[in-house]
């Protein structure tokens, strides 16, 4: 049944998706020279259709998926797609979705994921999550009073009432601090815009330069991370179908200028973790998140006015505190494993480094190099027991 842990995890996950992700899209749209109407169409498409996709996956498979779109793909577009017109961008997004769907239909992605040992997935997830949690410290330095209040709410409120999860305490105290000590800037006029259909243009150049990198980013930074988190938390997600539906969703939103629709990595990790309540009720965290993501997309113009009035450091605090429990669980799983030592250590370090080589992101390198080291050092195989002499 729905409870406070489900609600707080779903709420925090939705806020993570609808704050930094939305701001990144607006910044990317400005860099690409898109109109305000085109930017709002982009937001509408990826949040409404992205939330609906994840909600459908939850109800269909009874698994706590969560997501909307790919943040890393947006960041890539801001730097690498500045000279492409909107029709060619739409075409490249559609081709990226088709490429992802094909990889899912062939089953290749699922086979590769099945070869990775669980401790390696734990190490990769721990390295990624660590970035968010460590960011709490500079955020508290930037907003000392609000940060300390948030920290106290996270620690104290659950002690006063065990029914209230730490994250809800953090959010309550943090909002109180914002209302008392933060000077909110003047609000802009809210805008509403329906999505615009874009006639795509397909070119070989945009497929190579945009479609392939976006597909790689979605598969490695989002889908792989989300599936790894679900497996780590005891679920058996339909790997190939998850990839196929994320690809088809991305293909669909491309016609409205949207860059991607997919299951989210950190969002699914949070909604499927112990922080979201008992295992059988965690789908409610995903449902809460998905519904809020859809509502955000429907009223994206008005919601952006609210987001722009919040200090960015507060969003960082929320993300860090929401993933603290996930980090603890992953670290315990990694360093309690005795059959894998150096391989999980290096997988963890590479994920922390967050450095890409040859267009391939750090989560993928983390898993590849970790598995290679395990193979070379023959980790993961039980040592033969020597016969004792009489």
């Amino acid at each position: 049944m729905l409870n406070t842990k489900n609600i707080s995890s779903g709420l925090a996950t939705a806020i993570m998706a609808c704050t930094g992700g939305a701001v990144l899209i607006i910044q990317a749209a400005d860099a690409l020279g898109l109109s305000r109407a085109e930017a709002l169409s982009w937001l509408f498409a990826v949040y409404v259709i992205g939330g609906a996709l994840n909600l459908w996956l939850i109800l269909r498979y009874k698994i706590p998926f969560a997501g909307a779109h790919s943040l890393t793909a947006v960041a890539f577009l801001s730097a690498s797609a500045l000279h492409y017109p909107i029709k060619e961008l739409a075409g490249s997004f559609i081709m990226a979705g088709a490429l992802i769907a094909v990889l899912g239909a062939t089953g290749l992605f699922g086979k590769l994921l099945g070869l990775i040992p669980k401790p390696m997935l734990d190490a990769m997830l721990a390295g990624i999550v660590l970035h968010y949690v460590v960011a709490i410290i500079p955020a508290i330095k930037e907003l000392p009073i609000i940060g300390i209040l948030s920290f106290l709410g996270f620690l104290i409120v659950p002690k006063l009432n065990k029914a209230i999860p730490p994250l809800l305490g953090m959010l309550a105290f943090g909002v109180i601090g914002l209302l008392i000590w933060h000077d909110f800037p003047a609000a802009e006029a809210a805008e509403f815009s329906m999505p615009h259909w874009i006639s795509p243009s397909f070119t070989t150049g945009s497929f190579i330069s945009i479609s392939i990198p976006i597909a790689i980013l979605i598969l490695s930074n989002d889908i792989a991370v989300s599936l790894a988190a679900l497996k780590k938390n005891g679920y058996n997600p339909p790997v190939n179908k998850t990839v196929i539906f994320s690809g088809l969703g991305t293909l669909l939103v491309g016609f409205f200028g949207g860059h991607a629709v997919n299951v989210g990595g950190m969002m699914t990790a949070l909604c499927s973790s112990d922080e979201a309540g008992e295992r059988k009720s965690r789908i409610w965290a995903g449902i809460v998140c998905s519904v809020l993501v859809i509502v955000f997309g429907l009223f994206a113009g008005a919601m952006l006015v609210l987001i722009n009035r919040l200090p960015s450091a507060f969003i960082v605090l929320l993300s860090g505190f929401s993933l603290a429990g996930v980090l603890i669980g992953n670290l315990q799983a990694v360093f309690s494993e005795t059959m894998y030592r150096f391989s999980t250590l290096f997988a963890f370090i590479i994920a922390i480094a967050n450095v890409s080589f040859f267009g391939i992101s750090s989560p993928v390198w983390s898993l590849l190099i970790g598995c290679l080291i395990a193979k070379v050092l023959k980790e993961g195989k039980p040592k033969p027991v020597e016969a004792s002499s009489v």
Side-chain angles (χ1 to χ4, degrees):
M1 293 296 292
L2 184 66
N3 55 50
T4 54
K5 282 193 172 183
N6 305 152
I7 294 171
S8 62
S9 294
L11 175 61
T13 307
I15 292 174
M16 286 170 58
C18 299
T19 49
V23 171
L24 276 176
I25 287 178
I26 291 298
Q27 291 174 345
D30 290 340
L32 295 170
L34 304 185
S35 68
R36 192 70 174 179
E38 289 169 335
L40 290 176
S41 175
W42 184 351
L43 285 167
F44 187 106
V46 297
Y47 282 102
V48 173
I49 297 176
L53 170 68
N54 281 274
L55 182 60
W56 181 82
L57 288 171
I58 294 167
L59 298 176
R60 173 69 178 80
Y61 297 107
K62 302 299 185 290
I63 290 175
F65 287 102
H69 63 87
S70 173
L71 272 68
T72 51
V74 178
F76 164 78
L77 288 170
S78 298
S80 305
L82 300 181
H83 304 295
Y84 289 89
I86 182 64
K87 291 186 176 183
E88 204 165 339
L89 286 173
S92 66
F93 300 154
I94 293 168
M95 290 188 288
L99 178 58
I100 293 169
V102 168
L103 289 173
T106 58
L108 179 62
F109 188 79
K111 291 176 182 177
L112 290 174
L113 193 65
L115 296 174
I116 301 170
K118 185 176 176 296
M120 223 65 67
L121 298 174
D122 291 330
M124 180 266 286
L125 286 168
I128 296 173
V129 172
L130 185 65
H131 279 284
Y132 294 88
V133 180
V134 168
I136 289 174
I137 306 305
I140 291 177
K141 181 180 178 181
E142 186 173 340
L143 296 173
I145 297 177
I146 296 168
I148 291 171
L149 272 176
S150 299
F151 186 55
L152 290 175
F154 187 83
L155 294 178
I156 294 174
V157 171
K159 300 294 182 182
L160 300 176
N161 188 335
K162 292 183 179 180
I164 302 176
L167 189 57
L168 209 55
M170 172 266 156
L171 191 58
F173 275 46
V175 169
I176 291 171
L178 282 173
L179 293 174
I180 297 175
W181 284 284
H182 181 67
D183 293 326
F184 290 95
E188 303 172 1
E191 300 177 54
F192 180 80
S193 178
M194 292 295 289
H196 296 281
W197 180 270
I198 299 171
S199 299
S201 174
F202 303 99
T203 65
T204 304
S206 64
F207 177 74
I208 295 172
S209 301
I210 300 178
S211 301
I212 293 177
I214 284 181
I216 291 172
L217 288 170
I218 293 171
L219 287 167
S220 60
N221 279 14
D222 295 289
I223 297 177
V225 174
S226 66
L227 293 173
L230 288 169
K231 286 178 177 289
K232 187 261 175 190
N233 289 318
Y235 295 94
N236 186 26
V239 175
N240 294 332
K241 290 181 180 178
T242 301
V243 177
I244 291 171
F245 289 126
S246 292
L248 293 177
T250 298
L251 187 155
L252 174 61
V253 296
F255 287 102
F256 302 101
H259 69 293
V261 153
N262 50 265
V263 296
M266 287 301 98
M267 293 175 70
T268 300
L270 180 55
C271 285
S272 64
S273 70
D274 292 340
E275 303 301 302
E278 295 183 5
R279 190 169 171 274
K280 62 182 179 181
S281 69
R282 291 174 197 169
I283 62 168
W284 285 105
I287 291 172
V288 169
C289 173
S290 298
V291 170
L292 291 175
V293 165
I294 293 170
V295 171
F296 176 86
L298 291 171
F299 302 99
M303 295 295 184
L304 278 174
V305 174
L306 175 62
I307 291 172
N308 288 331
R309 301 186 73 198
L310 291 174
S312 58
F314 183 72
I315 306 302
V316 172
L317 283 172
L318 178 61
S319 300
F321 280 115
S322 64
L323 290 168
V326 178
L327 176 63
I328 292 171
N330 284 328
L331 288 175
Q332 288 174 338
V334 172
F335 294 111
S336 64
E337 177 59 61
T338 58
M339 293 177 66
Y340 295 89
R341 296 180 63 195
F342 290 103
S343 55
T344 52
L345 174 64
F346 279 96
F348 177 57
I349 291 171
I350 293 166
I352 293 173
N354 196 29
V355 177
S356 299
F357 291 100
F358 308 113
I360 300 175
S361 60
S362 63
V364 175
W365 284 117
S366 167
L367 295 175
L368 286 175
I369 295 176
C371 290
L372 178 62
I373 292 173
K375 188 77 173 175
V376 171
L377 299 181
K378 297 182 179 179
E379 293 186 337
K381 297 180 180 180
K383 295 180 180 180
V385 179
E386 297 181 1
S388 57
S389 57
V390 180

